Each structure stands twice: as C-alpha cells, then as structure tokens.
Amino acid sequence: MLGFGALRDMNDTIKQNRDLLKAKKKKPFEKTGYSTRISDNLLHNDKKLSDPERIQLIQATWQSNREETRKKILGLMVSIVIVGVLITIFIMWWTQYFG
C-alpha cells in the first residue's frame, strides 16, 4: 500500500466539505450578513441639496475626475519616455560591446 491512507483522508475531507456546504445553503433572496443595507450608508442629519448646489457638486466632481485623468496620462507618458530612453541606452551599450 503506497497511499499510506492519504486517499482515504482526501475522500473523508471531500465528504466533510460537502456536508459543510449543505449547511450553508441559503434560500433565494435571503440576505446574508455580508450585504449592506441602504440605511447604513445614509448620514444622519444630512440636508437635501438644492438644484444649484447639486449641479455645482457634480461639476466639481467632473473637474476633479478630469484633473486626475490628466495626471494619470501625464505619468504614463513620462514613464513611457523614461523606459524608451533606458531601452535605447541599453541597445547602444549592447551593440558597442557585443555587436
């Protein structure tokens, strides 16, 4: 016997896991503790925004998103240029010594 009981242990573990999964089955549309409630996300004593305030908030959010996107694109371009320069220097060095 070369298995030394490992196959039986594996089979027992699979059976135990199946039994555990059966115990955790939930009914359709049953809420678990992992789901959040809408009421948990609301702030207490939060005033409703008027239409001009809401529009101003949306525009400020769009503006900050635009600025953040510009920063990301600029960082990507700078990193591409730096990598290109490093690759060019490496190729020049390689051809000088081994070419």
Side-chain angles (χ1 to χ4, degrees):
M1 259 196 159
L2 296 175
F4 300 108
L7 296 176
R8 181 177 176 181
D9 289 339
M10 179 185 69
N11 193 23
D12 292 341
T13 303
I14 290 173
K15 286 180 182 178
Q16 289 173 356
N17 287 343
R18 272 195 217 126
D19 292 339
L20 288 174
L21 287 174
K22 286 178 186 176
K24 284 188 174 182
K25 281 191 177 178
K26 62 179 183 129
K27 297 177 183 172
F29 307 110
E30 179 184 346
K31 298 220 178 207
T32 61
Y34 300 114
S35 62
T36 58
R37 289 184 235 147
I38 295 173
S39 61
D40 293 342
N41 297 331
L42 297 177
L43 299 175
H44 295 290
N45 301 325
D46 193 19
K47 67 172 190 154
K48 296 281 185 180
L49 294 176
S50 64
D51 286 339
E53 290 174 337
R54 188 173 48 83
I55 291 171
Q56 185 179 9
L57 178 66
I58 291 171
Q59 288 176 347
T61 305
W62 284 350
Q63 183 66 28
S64 67
N65 287 344
R66 273 190 237 121
E67 291 172 2
E68 191 170 330
T69 303
R70 285 183 192 143
K71 287 179 185 177
K72 287 180 182 179
I73 291 173
L74 182 63
L76 180 64
M77 293 172 117
V78 167
S79 64
I80 288 172
V81 168
I82 291 172
V83 168
V85 168
L86 291 174
I87 289 174
T88 305
I89 291 171
F90 177 75
I91 290 174
M92 290 172 57
W93 175 80
W94 184 269
T95 56
Q96 185 179 9
Y97 286 107
F98 302 109

